Amino acid sequence: MATTSPVPWPRRLPEPQIHQAHVLAVDDSLVDRKVIEALLRVSSCKVTTVDSGRRALQFLGLDDERNEGGVMTGSSSSLKVDMIVTDYSMPGMTGYELLKRIKGSSEFREVPVVIMSSENINTRIDRCLEEGAEDYLVKPVKLADVRRIKDYMMMMREDGNEGRINKRKLRDGTDPSTSLNSSSASLIGSPCSDQQVLVSEQPQSSSSSSTLSPESQPPAHPESSDSPLDNHSTSLQTSQPPPQQSVSHSCLNKLESSDPNQSTTGDQIDGSVGS
Amino acid sequence: MERNQLPREVALMRQSLFDQGYVDEQFVQLEELQDETNPNFVEEVATLFYKDSARLLANIDQAMDRTPLDFTKLENYMQQFKGSCSSIGAKKVKHECTQFREYCRAGSTDGCMRTFQQMKREYSALRKKLETYFQLARQAGPSNTATRPR
């Protein structure tokens, strides 16, 4: 564990490990969003949740219209999602339609998409897989399911897929997207890096998906003081808002345990960051 | 109650939730998501469930007042509700949802009405059970709630 560090706040140096996967989870059910978020967080992923396909597209920068939130200023690839998990049955745009949009886009077509559904319908499953979904999870989703789908991200990463943060890039520190990606973990990414690399942003990075209660945030985070949008409605909930972007998401921590310690992976609370 | 009795009481109560069929293995999954940073996760989800489903149930209530019943609409509502029940492991309530949907498909007003009442009873019963359980669990201290093994 790091002895002294220049980090002003005592706890939680980011994990000096590989890039923390960032998953976008789409589900119109509030309860399911909470659950999938926790499942992913516990599996060491950063999570952004949205409640509709449309919001997902907005987040990714794939929506055609200028959206009300003024989401993306930067390039959409700076958002860096490593995987998208979406419910199938949603009002408005189904998960299947969202899947098609994603696979039809140049920026995100390589991103693994997983469908979740309470219905185990073979024709539906086939259709999704044919359209390019990596997997189809029957709800209720379990930890074992999440562990399995995480592997899709790993596999893709090892391929060195374009647009994806991988270990090599991290070590080089050349991936421009990492600077926008508030995941401090990814900046520190390389396992060899020393702890003094400073995470200016959110030292407690990573897998915490609930975001930003003031006490856990360094002061320099205006995003975190976004008025929490109503959790029930529709906004985005993200673990770490990319700093440059005035994403109209809420940095919510209402319903979640308002615990000041956004732990990284729940495995390491106190920056017991190895090595 | 002696403080040192609490952990045992909590464990017993927890076991009875399973034994009596109130919750199923999904509940265990939720418990696995509890850890130091999220010590009350299950309670939070349950709270969220009740809060969120209240609205849906009110809609169903209203729809149940119509004559004749719009079975398609009811089935859709119940589909959503059932999904949430499933996600938190609410076994008995979920079972009633399934029954209800079958009655919808069969076009049975009577069946729907009976099942809906039964479902509401289970829904309330579960809430009480969970409230008691969570309260006791909190008193017993975080070490006594099921947490994800480190």
Side-chain angles (χ1 to χ4, degrees), chain A residues 30-32 34 38-39 41-42 118-119 140-143 232 255-257 259 261 263 265-267 269, chain B residues 25-26 29-30 32-33 35-38 41 44-45 48-49 51-52 79 83-84 86-88 148 150:
Chain A
L30 194 47
V31 171
D32 287 357
K34 187 168 176 75
L39 285 168
R41 180 172 16 94
V42 148
S118 53
E119 316 224 62
V141 180
K142 303 179 179 347
L143 262 176
H232 295 287
L255 296 168
E256 283 98 10
S257 55
D259 85 298
N261 313 319
S263 159
T265 57
D267 295 1
I269 288 212
Chain B
E25 80 223 12
Q26 186 62 15
Q29 283 290 306
L30 297 184
E32 305 236 305
L33 300 177
D35 57 22
E36 305 93 344
T37 56
N38 255 302
F41 179 72
E44 285 168 17
V45 178
L48 184 60
F49 167 74
K51 192 168 171 188
D52 189 50
Q79 163 79 345
S84 294
S86 166
S87 294
I88 72 157
R148 190 165 55 87
R150 211 350 264 118

Side-chain angles (χ1 to χ4, degrees), chain B residues 81-100:
Chain B
F81 180 63
K82 183 182 167 187
S84 294
C85 291
S86 166
S87 294
I88 72 157
K91 190 174 179 181
K92 287 194 200 189
V93 188
K94 179 173 148 183
H95 175 75
E96 296 304 327
C97 294
T98 305
Q99 294 288 98
F100 185 91

Side-chain angles (χ1 to χ4, degrees), chain A residues 179-250:
Chain A
S179 58
L180 284 179
N181 187 330
S182 60
S183 157
S184 34
S186 59
L187 283 173
I188 312 294
S190 137
C192 323
S193 72
D194 11 300
Q195 330 255 303
Q196 65 187 345
V197 177
L198 240 221
V199 191
S200 52
E201 294 145 1
Q202 295 165 15
Q204 88 280 12
S205 74
S206 332
S207 49
S208 160
S209 49
S210 51
T211 8
L212 320 169
S213 37
E215 54 267 31
S216 58
Q217 291 300 315
H221 272 278
E223 297 91 351
S224 60
S225 53
D226 268 356
S227 60
L229 297 173
D230 182 3
N231 201 19
H232 295 287
S233 63
T234 44
S235 37
L236 230 95
Q237 202 171 343
T238 187
S239 55
Q240 310 197 359
Q244 306 312 328
Q245 300 167 1
S246 53
V247 188
S248 57
H249 55 257
S250 49

Side-chain angles (χ1 to χ4, degrees), chain B residues 14 46-47 54 69 100 130:
Chain B
R14 179 182 172 276
T47 304
L69 294 184
F100 185 91
L130 288 178

